[in-house]
Amino acid sequence: MFIITDGTENILSDTARFLGGLEGVCGAGYLTGDREVIVTRAPGRLDLMGGIADYSGSLVLQWPISAAAHVAIQRRRDGLVRIISLGEDGGERQYEIRLDQFLAAGRPIEYEAARGIFRQNDRDHWAAYAAGSFPVLMRERGAAFPDGAEIVIRSAVPEGKGVSSSAAIEVSVMQGINVAYGLGIGARELALLCQKVENLVAGAPCGVMDQMTSACGRSGELLELLCQPGELKGNVRLPEGLSVWGIDSGIRHAV
């Protein structure tokens, strides 16, 4: 049985569903009942202003949406990272890597080498957005990982719709690692590190808008952000009587 231990009883309904599904994951050999499991949630986002120019440092207004990515992470007693991504359609993808593959002569490998690991097989590239947190934290934070990890991902953020499905996964995984290994990273820095995962390990060029909104946005408020240098300007509540809607154009978004 999985129990939230942060003292709150106000668990979001999608988080409750994710927790309920973890029982089946345990039965499949992921996660065990003898060690702490950290559960994180990070939302997608809708662009209300300026997002087309976030690459050049524009001022943007971003709306965190209700669809989110959830992650459960549990430290292992070895150096293996096992990831399972559970699809909303019932399908799943799995990936394994040893943490020592991100090291050479005891030092973190270069980003080009890390990127190459996830490009060896096209069907494994998705894992860069999750496992890519480890080489980034090794290089940028000098983080050492004495233990591996089991990582379970389930995301309801639609892929290819321009609502930050990749950022939601990056932020939820990075925050899980942050808590599980006691790294003490704040929300803004965490967003900047997640951008490095996407740019330097996954190899997708993007500004920091998506990761900042997923990590720092507040439900029911617009996040005001100056994309360069990633300056959080504050939060803006919508005037009463206004709602925000996103309409699917049917055109797939690609970076």
Side-chain angles (χ1 to χ4, degrees), residues 76-83 95-104 109 117-118 131 134-135 138 145-149:
R76 292 173 57 94
R77 294 192 175 96
D78 57 19
L80 183 67
V81 173
R82 294 202 309 169
I83 304 171
Y95 183 79
E96 293 186 2
I97 188 167
R98 296 197 62 83
L99 286 169
D100 58 16
Q101 290 185 244
F102 298 129
L103 298 170
I109 61 175
I117 290 173
F118 298 102
F134 289 101
M138 289 174 178
F145 297 100
D147 302 327

Side-chain angles (χ1 to χ4, degrees), residues 2 5 29-30 38 54 60 94 168 171 175 203 239:
F2 291 90
T5 57
Y30 280 78
I38 305 298
D54 78 314
V60 301
Q94 299 183 32
V171 170
Q175 177 64 348

Side-chain angles (χ1 to χ4, degrees), residues 12 20 47 56 89 130 145 156 198 202 214 244 252:
L12 293 171
D47 174 36
S56 57
D89 59 358
F145 297 100
E198 184 142 355
S214 191
V244 176
R252 185 172 177 82

Side-chain angles (χ1 to χ4, degrees), residues 3-249:
I3 302 171
I4 297 293
T5 57
D6 63 357
T8 180
E9 296 178 358
N10 299 316
I11 302 174
L12 293 171
S13 59
D14 61 342
T15 303
R17 287 193 299 273
F18 177 70
L19 291 171
L22 289 182
E23 299 291 350
V25 175
C26 278
Y30 280 78
L31 308 179
T32 64
D34 62 342
R35 294 190 300 281
E36 182 179 48
V37 176
I38 305 298
V39 175
T40 60
R41 179 186 186 276
R45 65 102 194 100
L46 197 64
D47 174 36
L48 263 71
M49 185 190 85
I52 193 65
D54 78 314
Y55 302 90
S56 57
S58 63
L59 179 68
V60 301
L61 288 174
Q62 301 298 308
W63 183 261
I65 61 177
S66 59
H70 283 87
V71 161
I73 180 169
Q74 182 179 61
R75 289 173 62 161
R76 292 173 57 94
R77 294 192 175 96
D78 57 19
L80 183 67
V81 173
R82 294 202 309 169
I83 304 171
I84 181 169
S85 177
L86 307 172
E88 290 291 284
D89 59 358
E92 63 180 52
R93 296 180 289 190
Q94 299 183 32
Y95 183 79
E96 293 186 2
I97 188 167
R98 296 197 62 83
L99 286 169
D100 58 16
Q101 290 185 244
F102 298 129
L103 298 170
R107 297 176 60 84
I109 61 175
E110 299 292 331
Y111 283 124
E112 183 178 357
R115 196 160 54 247
I117 290 173
F118 298 102
R119 289 186 170 174
Q120 293 176 9
N121 192 318
D122 287 344
R123 68 172 180 268
D124 290 336
H125 185 253
W126 65 273
Y129 295 92
S133 288
F134 289 101
V136 167
L137 289 166
M138 289 174 178
R139 291 191 59 82
E140 304 299 325
R141 274 306 218 87
F145 297 100
D147 302 327
E150 304 269 63
I151 300 175
V152 180
I153 302 169
R154 169 163 268 154
S155 179
V157 184
E159 294 184 13
K161 302 296 183 182
V163 290
S164 301
S165 59
S166 59
I169 290 172
E170 290 156 4
V171 170
S172 54
V173 171
M174 182 79 77
Q175 177 64 348
I177 295 171
N178 181 29
V179 176
Y181 294 89
L183 302 180
I185 302 170
R188 180 181 178 275
E189 183 187 358
L190 187 136
L192 293 168
L193 291 168
C194 287
Q195 184 192 16
K196 289 185 180 292
V197 173
E198 184 142 355
N199 291 171
L200 303 176
V201 182
C206 71
V208 76
M209 174 184 75
D210 298 4
Q211 292 83 4
M212 280 287 188
T213 308
S214 191
C216 305
R218 296 179 183 173
S219 177
E221 297 182 358
L222 290 161
L223 180 70
E224 184 180 0
L225 169 69
L226 186 63
C227 290
Q228 289 183 13
E231 181 182 349
L232 295 164
K233 307 292 284 187
N235 296 84
V236 181
R237 294 201 70 86
L238 282 184
E240 190 173 342
L242 291 183
S243 298
V244 176
W245 293 80
I247 300 173
D248 186 359
S249 67

